[in-house]
């Protein structure tokens, strides 16, 4: 009898999810595993609110079937306790980079991915890194400032 | 959550994948990256009985083999950006990949093979493949064949790929000498799909001539292409070709981003600009 579940590593722990091919990764994370940081904003891969890491790469979790992630390592915002993420979260608070907060976890995931690769990004690199994340509230400027500020905080820890 | 009944397979070999694709009792689709197919299934626009995931088949390498460069169908825009071979010999693809928006979550998951098979007139890939005289290599239980871009792109969202075929590679003739390229797209906003995509590739022929090949996507349902010669700085042959290439086609394409009148108006000056930029890249060599 075929297994009805798959095992994924989620935030460092093996977790069981349904093998139902109709489940998107974002559905499994939110509804089966109770991880609510990835948000569903569009289901078409445009808004980025669902962003997570899959095997260390930032990905929109609405664009993967859960079953396709069997054996992979998934990290949601809840599972990122890195110094880079902490600096970003601090910076987002200081620059008022969120209002409703719906896009925020995705922005943080995209921002952290950028800072891991490019510790000293210029504005164009920041804009490109968040070009897959839509925000209806802030007009993006405070988000860009937050990412710059986090980069600076990492370079010059006070 | 996808609402229709769906089975999923992730075969370990191309032969196994081709066998699954040959099922005629149901609609079978192949997931390369999934950036278009997964949301289409979510929206019920694609209702396959079986989704075959190609993720165990590799198909991600970029190789120079003889006088061809073979780009695996699952090569992503990020793979293109990281390839020295592409940077040196097929710079058009690097320029195109660099302009794909959506962040690394898209450029690391979206594939050139998938974009070719989806054949959206608004996509970047079709006009670029047409400008490079690329072929698409298709595998099925009946064997392997390669189809030239000019025949592969049949219409909007329509290709010569049979339902039982899987695209495994994009095959591009290796340029015999240095190429100079330009690529531009017309978009209503930074994060939008393109309205028009225009590519130009100049190849030095070594006798003081430049061979120019230009392609336009989004003007017609399939990319349109033309070639010309630049002799000793005289561009009149290419100028004439571009004027013909960008004249309003019978089967003019339009969508919500731009109507046919806008595309007909915008294509000629953009094509002239792209050719001029490629010539400037040649002059600055």
């Amino acid at each position: 009898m075929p297994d009805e579940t798959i095992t994924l590593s989620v935030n460092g722990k093996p977790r069981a999810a349904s093998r139902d091919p109709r489940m998107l990764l974002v559905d499994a994370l939110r509804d089966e595993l109770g991880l609510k940081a990835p948000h569903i904003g569009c289901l078409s891969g445009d808004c980025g609110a669902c962003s997570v890491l899959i095997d260390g790469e930032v990905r929109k979790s609405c664009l993967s079937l859960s079953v396709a992630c069997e054996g992979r390592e998934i990290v949601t915002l809840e599972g990122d306790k890195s110094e880079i993420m902490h600096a970003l979260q601090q910076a987002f608070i200081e620059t008022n980079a969120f209002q409703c907060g719906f896009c925020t976890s995705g922005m943080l995931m995209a921002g952290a991915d950028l800072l891991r690769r490019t510790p000293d990004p210029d504005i164009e690199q920041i804009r490109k890194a968040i070009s897959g994340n839509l925000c209806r509230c802030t007009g993006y400027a405070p988000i860009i400032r937050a990412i710059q500020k986090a980069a600076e905080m990492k370079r010059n820890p006070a | 959550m996808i609402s229709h009944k769906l089975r999923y397979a992730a075969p370990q070999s191309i032969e196994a994948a081709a066998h699954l694709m040959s099922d005629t009792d149901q609609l079978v689709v192949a997931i390369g990256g999934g950036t278009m197919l997964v949301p289409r299934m979510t929206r019920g626009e694609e209702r396959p009985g079986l989704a075959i995931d190609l993720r165990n088949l590799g198909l991600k390498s970029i190789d120079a083999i003889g006088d061809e460069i073979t780009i695996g169908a699952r090569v992503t825009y990020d793979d293109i950006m990281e390839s020295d071979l592409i940077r040196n010999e097929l710079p058009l693809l690097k320029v195109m990949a660099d302009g794909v928006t959506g962040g690394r979550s898209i450029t690391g998951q979206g594939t050139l093979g998938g974009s070719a098979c989806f054949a959206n007139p608004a996509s970047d890939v079709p006009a670029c493949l047409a400008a490079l005289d690329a072929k698409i290599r298709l595998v099925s239980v009946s064997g392997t064949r390669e189809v030239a871009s000019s025949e592969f792109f049949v219409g909007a969202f329509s290709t010569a790929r049979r339902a039982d075929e899987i695209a495994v590679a994009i095959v591009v003739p290796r340029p015999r000498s240095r190429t100079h390229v330009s690529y531009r797209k017309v978009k209503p906003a930074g994060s939008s799909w393109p309205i028009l995509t225009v590519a130009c590739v100049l190849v030095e022929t070594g006798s003081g001539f430049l061979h120019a090949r230009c392609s336009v996507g989004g003007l017609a349902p399939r990319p349109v292409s033309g070639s010309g010669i630049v002799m000793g700085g005289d561009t009149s042959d290419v100028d004439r070709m571009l004027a013909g290439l960008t004249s309003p086609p019978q089967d003019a394409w339009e969508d919500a981003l731009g109507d046919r009148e806008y595309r007909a108006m915008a294509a000629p000056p953009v094509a002239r600009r792209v050719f001029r930029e490629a010539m400037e890249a040649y002059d600055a060599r």
Side-chain angles (χ1 to χ4, degrees):
Chain A
M1 180 148 157
D3 286 332
E4 298 197 348
T5 61
I6 57 169
T7 304
L8 323 163
S9 163
V10 182
N11 294 336
K13 297 194 171 77
R15 303 289 304 269
S18 165
R19 188 178 279 282
D20 188 340
R22 297 171 299 174
M23 297 285 284
L24 305 177
L25 179 62
V26 67
D27 298 323
L29 293 171
R30 289 182 55 84
D31 301 335
E32 293 190 283
L33 303 182
L35 294 162
K36 303 297 187 180
H39 296 151
I40 293 179
C42 70
L43 286 178
S44 56
D46 294 305
C47 79
C50 66
S51 299
V52 298
L53 297 183
I54 302 180
D55 289 342
E57 303 283 2
V58 67
R59 293 286 183 266
K60 295 173 174 179
S61 59
C62 71
L63 295 183
S64 284
L65 301 179
S66 178
V67 70
C69 297
E70 182 168 23
R72 299 220 152 127
E73 292 194 10
I74 314 296
V75 176
T76 69
L77 179 62
E78 288 98 334
D80 188 338
K81 307 294 183 195
S82 65
E83 284 183 19
I84 284 180
M85 184 56 81
H86 182 77
L88 264 174
Q89 288 165 316
Q90 195 61 39
F92 267 58
I93 292 168
E94 290 175 19
T95 68
N96 201 25
F98 58 94
Q99 294 177 29
C100 80
F102 199 80
C103 76
T104 307
S105 93
M107 288 290 186
L108 288 167
M109 298 303 281
D113 180 68
L114 173 67
L115 294 181
R116 279 192 296 268
R117 294 175 186 282
T118 310
D120 186 14
D122 61 31
I123 294 227
E124 280 316 305
Q125 288 170 313
I126 294 173
R127 289 166 65 96
K128 193 168 186 182
I130 63 168
S131 66
N133 295 77
L134 303 180
C135 173
R136 299 296 286 144
C137 296
T138 67
Y140 301 99
I143 293 171
I144 293 168
R145 276 202 298 279
I147 296 172
Q148 285 177 306
K149 192 173 177 97
E152 204 183 305
M153 281 158 67
K154 288 297 293 160
R155 282 198 306 281
N156 306 305
Chain B
M1 177 125 187
I2 292 167
S3 59
H4 67 273
K5 251 181 98 146
L6 175 66
R7 284 183 18 258
Y8 170 91
Q12 300 287 342
S13 71
I14 292 185
E15 293 71 29
H19 178 73
L20 291 168
M21 277 307 263
S22 69
D23 185 345
T24 50
D25 290 337
Q26 60 181 338
L27 176 62
V28 184
V29 296
I31 303 176
T35 60
M36 295 310 301
L37 184 54
V38 172
R40 284 172 63 79
M41 289 194 289
T42 301
R43 289 191 298 266
E45 289 166 3
E46 202 90 51
R47 303 168 76 88
L50 172 64
I52 302 172
D53 197 331
L54 304 181
R55 64 184 172 105
N56 294 319
L57 305 185
L59 303 179
K60 272 189 55 93
S61 57
I62 302 172
D63 300 300
I65 302 173
D67 57 3
E68 291 176 331
I69 293 176
T70 303
I71 300 168
R74 291 181 67 247
V75 162
T76 66
Y77 301 94
D78 280 353
D79 294 334
I80 291 288
M81 294 297 294
E82 286 159 23
S83 164
D84 288 333
L85 179 59
I86 297 289
R87 183 171 46 79
N88 292 329
E89 302 202 28
L90 298 177
L92 178 67
L93 294 180
K94 181 167 201 287
V95 174
M96 176 273 291
D98 191 44
V100 174
T101 54
R104 299 189 86 257
S105 53
I106 294 296
T107 58
Q109 184 173 345
T111 67
L112 276 72
S115 181
C117 289
F118 190 51
N120 184 348
S123 285
D124 297 272
V125 163
C128 289
L129 296 192
L132 292 172
D133 273 317
K135 294 176 292 187
I136 314 299
R137 182 178 295 158
L138 300 162
V139 168
S140 69
V141 291
S142 320
T144 300
R145 65 182 182 126
E146 293 185 355
V147 181
S149 301
S150 52
E151 288 152 44
F152 183 76
F153 297 108
V154 168
F157 308 99
S158 175
T159 69
R161 183 187 68 84
R162 290 192 318 255
D164 67 332
E165 289 180 309
I166 298 171
V168 297
I170 295 166
V171 182
V172 183
R174 210 170 172 184
R176 270 171 236 167
S177 57
R178 262 194 319 181
T179 66
H180 308 278
V181 305
S182 177
Y183 177 73
R184 291 279 183 184
K185 44 191 173 176
V186 178
K187 307 205 295 186
S191 58
S192 300
W193 285 88
I195 297 171
L196 289 171
T197 55
V198 186
C200 182
V201 179
L202 301 178
V203 183
E204 301 178 28
T205 62
S207 11
F209 290 16
L210 283 176
H211 178 263
R213 184 156 177 78
C214 302
S215 296
V216 179
L219 188 60
R222 33 187 298 237
V224 293
S225 307
S227 300
I229 298 279
V230 179
M231 282 180 286
D234 179 357
T235 64
S236 52
D237 184 51
V238 178
D239 295 335
R240 263 192 310 274
M241 179 274 289
L242 286 176
L245 188 67
T246 56
S247 58
Q250 291 274 24
D251 56 345
W253 174 250
E254 60 186 357
D255 65 19
L257 292 177
D259 63 22
R260 62 189 61 192
E261 287 77 22
Y262 178 78
R263 292 162 194 264
M265 182 204 67
V270 175
R272 286 194 296 272
R273 174 179 179 174
V274 170
F275 172 53
R276 189 179 72 240
E277 288 179 344
M279 285 298 298
E280 284 164 5
Y282 167 73
D283 289 336
R285 71 195 182 285

